[in-house]
Amino acid sequence: MIVAPKIRGFICTTAHPEGCAANVRSQIEYVKSRGPLARPPRKVLVIGASTGYGLASRIVPAFGGGAATVGVFFEKAGTATKTGSAGWYNSVAFEQAAAEADLYARSFNGDAFSHEMKEKVVSAIVEDLGQVDCIVYSLASPRRTDPETGEIYKSVLKPIGAPYSQKNLNTDTGEVNSVSIEPASDDEIAHTVKVMGGEDWEFWIDALSAAGALAEGFSTVAYSYIGPDLTYPIYTNGTIGRAKEHLERSAARINDYFGPGSAHVSVNKALVTQASSAIPVVPLYISLLYKAMKEKDLHEGCIEQIQRLFGDHLASASGPSLDERGRIRIDDWEMRDDIQAAVANAWEAVSTENLADISDFAGYKAEFLRLFGFGIDGVDYAAETNPDLALPSGG
Ligand code: NAI
């Protein structure tokens, strides 16, 4: 079939198999161009491995360190008449490239929050690899079914304590308007912490530990975000921020049990991904941020960020450098004073009329389409493509 983008709000319901494969190949090429990691992990489990930060976290240790990788994700396979999700095609392309490079790669498609998935993945690790020495937790999900009670928790993106009004961007129309969001209830806060906090991360580490599948001196990392004052009410001080505080407490608990330095929280840069495009205010902030960072030649995507995470921290000769709260900060360039000052000035001035001039909305839109494999040089979008691709490892 011929595959074109079909955008519904902040999601594209189609994905282009060749475009996604080209994305994955270019990330692999980038990692290879950076040369080998100094102290690479050898056997890596990535939970949330199919898109965004998780996909990059699979590519960097594999192609920068020759690591065997196990990936877990929740994606949709294509059929002869319907495209699958981008993460499915990314994972097919990753596994093909891994096979060509003679690297072990196995993927599991399904609900990472469930006991069944943990059992399946952990026993595959024990059987195939014995143990893992690095676990990346990069899930972003709107809901979670509690594996014990069957209760469904839904996360919300809301402020806490007071309503929040701020400029906002309608990414469909390019209109800069404003948004007002009522504060979350206590129940909504608790639900968001259940979905996006660290409980499930700890469950994964427990399951691996119980099976003897954690290598001596293993390390694990999960991702967080802080960002500027203007998004504090909706992010850092909002419901998702509460979940990220819980994630930090989970890291502390893992460190208490397994020893300091076992668990890290890495604070990453705001980037266009399927998860971030759903957060109010953030797409406008990202459009202004990209402009400021590109002007200073500081812009990075997921792969550059995660290359820096492994290269300068997790797999560096000297180990990670941490901030005063014990976190790795690869958002350091985003948070530079000059960048934040440029964004704050542009934030005051931005309107529908000047959006194209003072922001990188064009870059935002192009990157959004690229997440789904569209707008990539060298891909023939007028040609027939087969959407029914199988994961080489079975999935
Ligand atoms: P994403 O939407 O690109 O990736 C989410 C991944 O989770 C995908 O692999 C998806 O298949 C998987 N997933 C979702 N639900 C699942 C389930 N029930 N079972 C198995 N897999 C499931 O998201 P992104 O942006 O890469 O986010 C990853 C982490 O990075 C999140 O913790 C997010 O808060 C954090 N982060 C994101 C930033 C951003 O600007 N995008 C900035 C800083 C941190």
Side-chain angles (χ1 to χ4, degrees), residues 44-57:
V44 180
L45 167 63
V46 182
I47 302 148
S50 53
T51 55
Y53 276 118
L55 173 63
S57 308

Side-chain angles (χ1 to χ4, degrees), residues 48-54 73-75 110-113 138-141 196 223-225 235 244 268-271 273-276:
S50 53
T51 55
Y53 276 118
F73 44 77
F74 209 167
E75 299 295 346
D111 184 11
F113 294 124
S138 187
L139 279 196
S141 175
M196 287 300 287
Y223 299 141
S224 185
Y225 181 66
Y235 202 101
K244 296 299 186 188
N268 298 357
K269 176 191 177 189
L271 280 176
T273 64
Q274 294 186 41
S276 69

Side-chain angles (χ1 to χ4, degrees), residues 259-279:
S262 312
H264 292 289
V265 168
S266 172
V267 183
N268 298 357
K269 176 191 177 189
L271 280 176
V272 184
T273 64
Q274 294 186 41
S276 69
S277 50
I279 307 177

Side-chain angles (χ1 to χ4, degrees), residues 224-228 231-232 235-236 267-268 323 327 329 331 335:
S224 185
Y225 181 66
I226 297 176
T231 59
Y232 263 32
Y235 202 101
T236 302
V267 183
N268 298 357
D323 72 4
R327 301 168 299 201
R329 302 295 298 266
D331 66 339
M335 299 313 290

Side-chain angles (χ1 to χ4, degrees), residues 74-194:
F74 209 167
E75 299 295 346
K76 201 157 53 63
T79 66
T81 54
K82 205 161 183 288
T83 71
S85 55
W88 180 266
Y89 296 132
N90 291 340
S91 303
V92 170
F94 173 86
E95 284 198 6
Q96 284 168 345
E100 280 161 26
D102 227 4
L103 295 173
Y104 172 98
R106 191 163 168 191
S107 307
F108 294 85
N109 188 34
D111 184 11
F113 294 124
S114 70
H115 285 326
E116 298 75 53
M117 182 54 97
K118 290 184 178 75
E119 279 158 22
K120 213 154 79 169
V121 172
V122 171
S123 56
I125 288 171
V126 170
E127 225 168 84
D128 290 3
L129 302 173
Q131 294 181 319
V132 282
D133 57 357
C134 175
I135 304 97
V136 180
Y137 190 81
S138 187
L139 279 196
S141 175
R143 71 186 66 80
R144 172 181 175 205
T145 304
D146 187 295
E148 299 292 342
T149 63
E151 188 175 344
I152 296 173
Y153 295 98
K154 289 186 180 159
S155 66
V156 298
L157 294 157
K158 290 191 178 180
I160 292 174
Y164 172 60
S165 297
Q166 192 45 280
K167 282 185 174 174
N168 192 38
L169 172 60
N170 179 332
T171 50
D172 281 343
T173 61
E175 189 197 346
V176 178
N177 47 28
S178 66
V179 66
S180 291
I181 308 164
E182 288 302 308
S185 65
D186 288 347
D187 220 30
E188 287 176 317
I189 300 170
H191 273 237
T192 308
V193 170
K194 267 281 184 187

